[in-house]
Amino acid sequence: VLKVVQYFLETKGFNKIFLVKDSRVVIPLLKEKEICLILLDLVMPHIMGTELLPILKKEFPHIPIIVLTGSENLKDAISCVNLEIFEYLIKPVSISRLLSSVDKALRIYLLQKELSSLRDNIFTEHQKSSSFFSKIITRSNKMQAVFEYAEHASKTLQPILVTGESGVGKELIAIAI
């Protein structure tokens, strides 16, 4: 099942997928890597998903969790919903449903991350942009604001389009990003 899910995710452009067969590895992996989404089965060797889920929600509340399980136990489903998981899917699930759920969860995760970054920037004192923009010479406060926005946007996975008239420094901005 892990390999099939990985295959279909990769064919739709999702990459950096970590397959974990041993549930004891999940927490250390989450502490080491930046993970954007967890697909979790409730029935796993060593630590059951039902035991792991509350720990994941407590220690990593920002990561959306999709439970993908063969268990039709109503008690487990209610428990998962009470823990505010993103979605509860019962195997066998259609590939289109799984991909749609993954896509939605990742979009929401990335929007929340971007919102948090922008919120942090708005509520902190105006800071000088990083050294990446040091080759661009300006005294304009508007350009400093552009640098700050570009710096925050560069930390997301979203594509960035830089436009402007000839000679305004589009290439320098693109290199800095």
Side-chain angles (χ1 to χ4, degrees), residues 56-108:
L56 294 174
K57 289 303 291 182
K58 182 179 180 191
E59 292 189 30
F60 307 95
H62 61 286
I63 302 175
I65 299 173
I66 296 175
V67 171
L68 178 62
T69 187
S71 172
E72 295 186 33
N73 183 328
L74 184 59
K75 183 181 173 189
D76 289 342
I78 291 170
S79 175
C80 290
V81 171
N82 287 339
L83 286 170
E84 299 180 5
I85 61 164
F86 186 80
E87 192 143 11
Y88 188 91
L89 302 174
I90 298 175
K91 293 186 255 180
V93 63
S94 74
I95 295 303
S96 61
R97 174 91 190 270
L98 175 63
L99 293 174
S100 174
S101 295
V102 167
D103 186 54
K104 280 188 239 174
L106 286 174
R107 286 178 190 269
I108 290 171

